[in-house]
Amino acid sequence: MLSLEEVKLHLDAADQAHVLQFWSELNEAERDVFLQELSQLDVSGLRGHCEGAARAAASVAASLDDLMEPVPPEFIGSARKSDKTFLAHWENEGLLHISKNRVGVLLLAGGQGTRLGVQYPKGMYNVGLPSGKTLYQIQAERLHKIQELAEAKHGSKCIVPWYIMTSEFTLTPTEKFFKENNYFGLDPVNINMFEQRMIPAVTFDGKVILQGKGKIAMAPDGNGGLYQALVDNNVLEDMKKRGVEYLHVYCVDNILVKMADPVFIGFCVSKEADCGAKVVEKVSPTEPVGVVCRVQGVAQVVEYSEILQATAELRGPSGELVYSAGNICNHFFTRQFLQNLTMNNEKHLKEHVAIKKVPFVDKCGNEVKPTKPNGIKMEKFVFDVFPFSKSFVVFEVVREDEFSPLKNADGAATDSPSTARNALLHLHCRWAAAAGATVLDQDGNAVVLTASESTVINAPAKFEISPLVSYFGEDLEKLKGKTYHSPCVLDKEQ
Ligand code: UTP
């Protein structure tokens, strides 16, 4: 731990002396905690961070329109359009790698989930499924199942290690939750939780924000903080020790996420990709999602705000959007790629400006909850490594099968607990229908699914299939001819 004098020197040098303005009002214990916090700051980089944040917030993003092109078709696979035999081949290849312990999954779970507005990690959220399962439990069960499928196919018992990136906000409650739930039946030896770094929030004129008299307003450094966190926590060494060569990285909030999806893994490996992204077709030119494309020849995600509407609206010969590849934060990396990146390029990753309302103490020491944005949080994004890829591929998947994120509280039109729950229930009703089963809704009426219902406004019935029973709709022949009255959860024993 640094001494008060050392901290003072660093803060003066960074033009941040105001951080200690309430020091004389703190008691012994508060001073200890604050000094501890200040010692952990990257004080040598503080001036650069504060000045850079203020500069970045004031600058206008360069227009990328003239520099963009879509990813060429030969680097794109598609769950919708690729030949069935290819899809089957990729699935088999993916399962082979899983069975040989070469595949790991990495969950990004360090976010604060401010839009959802709960005080606990998003993974602990229960969206109101008939089973009452949380996002963490659903994911754990998918891991069980994919290991089982790989073993059944290739005859060797295997492990898919689960790396979980947390932050100061999410680590302790996540650890506790996993422990209380007996790690959902997984061996804790194969679950590796680690913490990403935190960085100070800064005012528009480049001053660190004090959240309390003895506390700096800190925020996680964005999901692109992953790469520094891999280094800080020796995660790549752990992967190497286990023989893990391929990593599937995903967000905590997508209830439909196919962890370690063998088709995606198999596709990326067959193409000898070092980096890959799953995408869904954008629903409209104005849908505010990033687009996976090329900028000056290298892979990149371009945000909706970085392009002109005319570019977003460009259409190809058959009427499809030219920039249709919506990023869903679902990525493939080889260990070698991550190794090179963390050694050579992590420092060059771009930082993004997020303008937020950051609670602070005013000059008189009163705690204030601002009503308008007052601060800058700098964030790195997980996809900002794409430009460093030497062999980048894209895999397009069906939105209704694979993407329904939980971002907002109920009441919002999109990405809420209701839309996430309905998306999963809808998918499971479709699996049951495809298997030849009849599902009855709560009024006893047989559920009939039409194509137009794929927008998932309402769930057709409360019919849920445990991931322990089926990972992507496979092995449901036993449902043929049966009738299920909702609410109903199809569990392993049934
Ligand atoms: P979001 O950008 O949606 O953020 O994160 P969030 O924290 O979940 O929600 P808001 O914006 O505060 O409402 C996308 C994914 O990236 C992870 C999140 O946990 C989520 O899985 N993430 C985000 C991190 O792991 N670290 C971060 O610093 C930020």
Side-chain angles (χ1 to χ4, degrees), residues 9-45:
L9 276 179
H10 283 299
L11 290 174
D12 281 345
D15 202 16
Q16 303 292 330
H18 69 285
V19 167
L20 292 173
Q21 63 186 301
F22 298 109
W23 183 260
S24 61
E25 296 178 36
L26 304 179
N27 64 32
E28 196 83 1
E30 290 166 338
R31 285 181 176 184
D32 268 359
V33 174
F34 198 21
L35 206 54
Q36 185 87 38
E37 182 185 27
L38 293 168
S39 303
Q40 280 164 8
L41 271 188
D42 172 18
V43 273
S44 58

Side-chain angles (χ1 to χ4, degrees), residues 107-116 122 165-167 196-197 219-225 250-253 329 356 379-381 406-407:
L107 164 61
L108 301 167
Q112 291 172 279
T114 44
R115 284 168 289 173
L116 184 61
K122 222 189 251 187
M165 183 173 81
T166 61
S167 65
Q196 68 180 110
R197 289 190 184 184
D221 55 355
N223 57 24
Y250 68 100
C251 288
V252 70
D253 49 29
C329 192
K356 303 260 176 165
E379 292 190 348
K380 288 179 177 166
F381 291 162
L406 173 64
K407 299 283 185 196

Side-chain angles (χ1 to χ4, degrees), residues 73-88 90 261 263-264 267 271 277-281 393-398 402:
E74 60 271 29
F75 301 107
I76 305 180
S78 170
R80 282 189 311 150
K81 299 179 201 155
S82 295
D83 194 290
K84 292 261 176 309
T85 52
F86 280 124
L87 290 167
W90 294 329
D261 175 10
V263 184
F264 181 46
F267 168 73
K271 294 280 176 192
K278 264 192 188 181
V279 300
V280 295
E281 193 179 23
V393 293
V394 166
F395 191 72
E396 193 233 341
V397 297
V398 177
E402 300 211 24

Side-chain angles (χ1 to χ4, degrees), residues 422-435:
N422 292 344
L424 191 80
L425 296 175
H426 202 285
L427 177 66
H428 291 178
C429 283
R430 279 185 278 134
W431 287 357

